[in-house]
Amino acid sequence: YYTQPNTMNVAAEWIKKHIKCSSNYPLKVVDFSAGDGLFGKTLASAVRHINYIGVDIEPTDPSVEKCDFLNMPYTQYQKLSNPDVIGFNPPFGREGRDAIRFMQIALTLQPKWMIVILPFRPWSMSNIFIMEIYIKFTFSWTLHCLLV
């Protein structure tokens, strides 16, 4: 399942509207199922100051670094830690097991925001509907999660 450009545009516009950044504080965005880097390209056209890091186990664009997110070395983990935004379209797997593993590892990076693109389900209104969920963690940081 590849993310459609209109879905990326919705996510990029939401980020532009709700998350502030500047030349002094560029937005650090990590995408660990980046594929062809569409999310980074879409964000770069919508958000002015951005530090996009795209990784994928099998990248199809030179702007995306080759990395197995589920088994990444510690140096790569450090580079990806503490982003403002993690955005990804995880491999879904049987009953969503792979997606859950990706989300569990993503949470260890302690992002401020997480954008998760999941397959359309008939019980949801749309696969580009954005729902905000605020989760307060006991270890002193708050995650804001957007399901796209």
Side-chain angles (χ1 to χ4, degrees), residues 18-138:
H18 292 91
I19 304 175
K20 302 298 178 213
C21 60
S22 68
S23 58
N24 293 334
Y25 186 76
L27 193 64
K28 181 178 178 182
V29 179
V30 173
D31 178 359
F32 52 80
S33 55
D36 63 2
L38 176 63
F39 189 44
K41 293 169 189 169
T42 303
L43 280 174
S45 66
V47 180
R48 210 171 156 164
H49 305 286
I50 186 170
N51 175 18
Y52 173 80
I53 304 167
V55 299
D56 199 291
I57 194 166
E58 294 181 23
T60 58
D61 188 88
S63 67
V64 178
E65 299 175 32
K66 184 173 180 64
C67 176
D68 179 354
F69 184 72
L70 298 176
N71 299 298
M72 67 182 147
Y74 185 70
T75 54
Q76 185 74 18
Y77 184 86
Q78 285 181 308
K79 178 181 175 183
L80 302 177
S81 291
N82 300 308
D84 297 300
V85 177
I86 288 181
F88 62 105
N89 176 357
F92 199 68
R94 184 177 169 93
E95 298 176 356
R97 288 185 186 118
D98 291 344
I100 291 168
R101 280 185 65 208
F102 266 68
M103 285 187 262
Q104 288 170 332
I105 293 172
L107 289 172
T108 69
L109 296 172
Q110 297 190 353
K112 294 180 183 119
W113 292 90
M114 193 160 71
I115 297 175
V116 183
I117 298 166
L118 297 171
F120 174 76
R121 293 287 181 248
W123 57 82
S124 68
M125 294 176 63
S126 165
N127 65 336
I128 60 169
F129 176 73
I130 296 180
M131 178 175 62
E132 296 181 48
I133 302 171
Y134 298 94
I135 303 168
K136 181 69 177 173
F137 286 89
T138 56

